[in-house]
Amino acid sequence: MENEKLLQEQETEEMKDEGIVDVQEYMKVTLSKPYRLDGKEIREIDMNGLEDLTGGDMIAINRMMKKRGNVDASPEFTLEFAFFAAMQATGLPLEFFYGLSMKDSIKVKMRVNYFLMY
């Protein structure tokens, strides 16, 4: 219990050092331009659902990627993995993420990588 508290304090300090004040706000990706999906305009993607994903979800994502021909040695650091994880975390369709601009695609990937590393 005490170790957990120390870890959280350390993570909070690291985030502050990096200029990140609120993790939940950081995990929201503001799109560079609005995206239309099913007649709805999306301006922000809330990636906080990554907290609810499990190891089983990672295995499922890796299997989906293999079916698509992706055999990277470290698939969890690819853009494709980030899209699959974001799809699982947000409930948005995979096609939505494939349709994002390059700039917004990298924002999604960075949030997934940040989540996995911290």
Side-chain angles (χ1 to χ4, degrees):
M1 185 75 137
E2 192 169 314
N3 286 341
E4 245 178 67
K5 187 176 180 182
L6 288 172
L7 273 174
Q8 285 178 335
E9 288 174 7
Q10 181 181 3
E11 285 178 2
T12 302
E13 286 303 312
E14 288 174 1
M15 287 172 39
K16 286 179 183 175
D17 290 344
E18 294 177 24
I20 300 166
V21 180
D22 182 354
V23 177
Q24 287 188 331
E25 281 304 310
Y26 178 74
M27 293 305 292
K28 293 179 182 175
V29 176
T30 301
L31 301 178
S32 58
K33 60 183 179 181
Y35 188 101
R36 293 199 81 59
L37 178 68
D38 298 330
K40 183 180 174 185
E41 191 174 89
I42 299 173
R43 294 180 177 273
E44 181 180 80
I45 307 167
D46 187 346
M47 303 285 288
N48 282 294
L50 290 168
E51 286 285 343
D52 300 325
L53 298 184
T54 65
D57 291 314
M58 285 187 78
I59 291 169
I61 290 169
N62 284 330
R63 286 184 179 148
M64 287 186 276
M65 289 174 63
K66 282 181 184 176
K67 283 182 184 177
R68 290 174 155 247
N70 187 319
V71 291
D72 288 308
S74 297
E76 62 277 3
F77 296 112
T78 65
L79 182 60
E80 188 176 28
F81 181 91
F83 283 171
F84 275 107
M87 175 188 74
Q88 295 275 18
T90 65
L92 292 167
L94 187 60
E95 293 75 23
F96 168 81
F97 294 99
Y98 275 89
L100 291 175
S101 68
M102 285 177 44
K103 182 176 184 174
D104 292 334
S105 295
I106 293 301
K107 287 181 186 178
V108 169
K109 182 178 185 265
M110 287 175 59
R111 293 315 190 285
V112 172
N113 288 346
Y114 173 84
F115 171 78
L116 291 174
M117 292 181 0
Y118 295 98

